[in-house]
Amino acid sequence: MNSETVMQELEALGKERLKKMYLSNGAQEPLFGVATGEMKPIFKKTKLNQPLAEQLYASGNYDAMYFAGIIAEPNSMTEADYDRWLDSAYFYMLSDFVVAVTLSEADIAQEVADKWIASGEDLRMSAGWSCYCWLLGSRPDSEFSKSKLTKMLEQVENTIHAAPERTKYSMSNFIYTVATSYLPLHDKAVATGNAVSPVEVKSDTGKSKFLNAVGNIQKTAARGKLGFKRKHVRC
């Protein structure tokens, strides 16, 4: 399949209801409004295909950019490639659920995510923290440095309330993910969550929402899901 036929198939799957929902969450035209689960049959035809992923991501169409993340070949992308993709990620569904997810399957994931966290830019920071969430939720504990994650929890505790709004979500999710997917620091993560909660985030309309990682940790523990690891990050 080439980019034109993929775009045609995506357009045929578009639903106005989903398009309106994506737009309300920050997506921009052009887009079709395709449910991510309905992209799987197209993936069976394309398989992993980095050149095609690059063409689709460069289209600027939200659905095509999302599908590009599904078919990308993470280890064929360089740090510059990931930076370029993130430059085009204009809202969190692209930064955190396409670029960060794709990066999480690459060997250079932690190296790149560390730089994004230190960037001072909201969507870059959010993508960096999100990448660690995807990593922790899918990779063996042995791939992580306990001391490094401890310092990251301390960074969250010291900076989350002054962080940009989207980054607050990802930092709060980092607390949750460490507690539920990296058991050596479960207690430390819970203590961090208790120290910072609630975390206020404000929407563009000025309305506030309060994040409480500990409440979500308790719900996961009650379901017997502590230590959970995904088999696959991408669809």
Side-chain angles (χ1 to χ4, degrees):
M1 297 183 75
N2 57 34
S3 60
E4 183 178 348
T5 56
V6 171
M7 292 292 281
Q8 290 172 350
E9 294 208 14
L10 288 172
E11 184 173 12
L13 294 170
K15 292 181 172 60
E16 192 63 28
R17 175 183 58 82
L18 286 176
K19 180 176 179 178
K20 289 179 180 178
M21 184 183 75
Y22 294 158
L23 288 169
S24 69
N25 286 335
Q28 300 172 4
E29 293 280 7
L31 76 163
F32 304 128
V34 182
T36 55
E38 295 194 9
M39 294 180 179
K40 291 182 179 180
I42 308 178
F43 172 69
K44 289 180 180 179
K45 300 175 186 178
T46 65
K47 307 298 183 183
L48 297 180
N49 187 326
Q50 188 62 33
L52 180 57
E54 291 289 357
Q55 293 174 8
L56 293 171
Y57 197 84
S59 72
N61 178 291
Y62 168 69
D63 300 292
M65 294 171 81
Y66 196 101
F67 186 68
I70 295 174
I71 68 171
E73 300 175 58
N75 278 321
S76 74
M77 295 177 67
T78 65
E79 180 179 343
D81 292 327
Y82 283 106
D83 283 335
R84 175 169 49 80
W85 274 37
L86 194 52
D87 287 340
S88 298
Y90 59 84
F91 83 126
Y92 76 94
M93 286 294 292
L94 291 171
S95 63
D96 295 3
F97 294 96
V98 176
V99 186
V101 167
T102 306
L103 174 62
S104 73
E105 294 192 3
D107 295 338
I108 59 173
Q110 290 193 48
E111 173 189 342
V112 176
D114 289 343
K115 292 180 181 179
W116 289 352
I117 288 171
S119 70
E121 301 172 23
D122 192 14
L123 287 184
R124 262 184 160 68
M125 294 165 68
S126 180
W129 289 106
S130 291
C131 183
Y132 268 95
C133 294
W134 298 115
L135 285 166
L136 288 161
S138 62
R139 297 197 185 189
D141 289 350
S142 59
E143 293 194 21
F144 303 95
S145 162
K146 183 178 178 180
S147 62
K148 178 181 180 179
L149 294 178
T150 298
K151 290 178 181 177
M152 292 176 73
L153 284 171
E154 292 169 353
Q155 180 181 349
V156 171
E157 182 172 347
N158 293 329
T159 64
I160 190 169
H161 290 289
E165 301 308 295
R166 189 64 226 173
T167 302
K168 289 179 181 178
Y169 280 102
S170 298
M171 284 180 151
S172 180
N173 195 37
F174 177 78
I175 297 172
Y176 166 82
T177 308
V178 172
T180 57
S181 292
Y182 186 80
L183 297 188
L185 285 176
H186 171 81
D187 292 342
K188 171 69 174 177
V190 171
T192 303
N194 281 322
V196 303
S197 295
V199 177
E200 181 181 13
V201 290
K202 294 181 179 179
S203 68
D204 293 338
T205 62
K207 293 182 179 180
S208 291
K209 180 177 181 179
F210 293 90
L211 308 178
N212 182 358
V214 176
N216 292 328
I217 294 167
Q218 291 171 341
K219 291 176 184 177
T220 299
R223 295 197 303 268
K225 293 290 188 179
L226 293 183
F228 171 76
K229 301 283 186 180
R230 297 179 182 85
K231 291 183 178 179
H232 304 286
V233 179
R234 293 185 291 173
C235 296

